[in-house]
Amino acid sequence: MMQSRADRWPSAWGFELRTDQGDFAAKIVNVSISGAFAQGDLPLATGQAVRLSAMRQPVMAHVVRVSERGAALKFDRPLSAAQLENLRQYRDLVFM
């Protein structure tokens, strides 16, 4: 039996991905209610816990796949409709 995959939407949300090893700049290139793909030079490992923010609320996730382009993240809890809409925006993160 095939498992269905949540609809994914494009994004270009620049954000800070937080881990126990440090914080890293990344960009969400697609997002769904259950996960996202974070693009960037991310020193992550499969199974690693990560945190990001959506609407000033912490979103906990785990890395499910790592590639040269970035990492696939599975959210520990599904996003709310408002959080999903927030992460579907196109913004760049600027570090000062």
Side-chain angles (χ1 to χ4, degrees), residues 24-92:
F24 306 95
K27 184 179 282 191
I28 292 179
V29 295
N30 70 54
V31 63
S32 75
I33 196 168
S34 61
F37 188 83
Q39 187 175 42
D41 185 17
L42 305 170
L44 302 174
T46 301
Q48 186 173 2
V50 297
R51 299 175 301 281
L52 57 116
S53 290
M55 299 186 64
R56 299 182 188 212
Q57 298 171 350
V59 175
M60 306 301 292
H62 283 83
V63 177
V64 293
R65 187 178 66 253
V66 178
S67 71
E68 287 182 8
R69 290 183 41 230
L73 309 176
K74 179 171 178 27
F75 302 134
D76 291 355
R77 293 184 4 203
L79 295 179
S80 69
Q83 287 174 316
L84 179 60
E85 185 65 27
N86 179 252
L87 292 177
R88 288 180 60 195
Q89 297 180 39
Y90 288 78
R91 287 188 199 163
D92 284 327

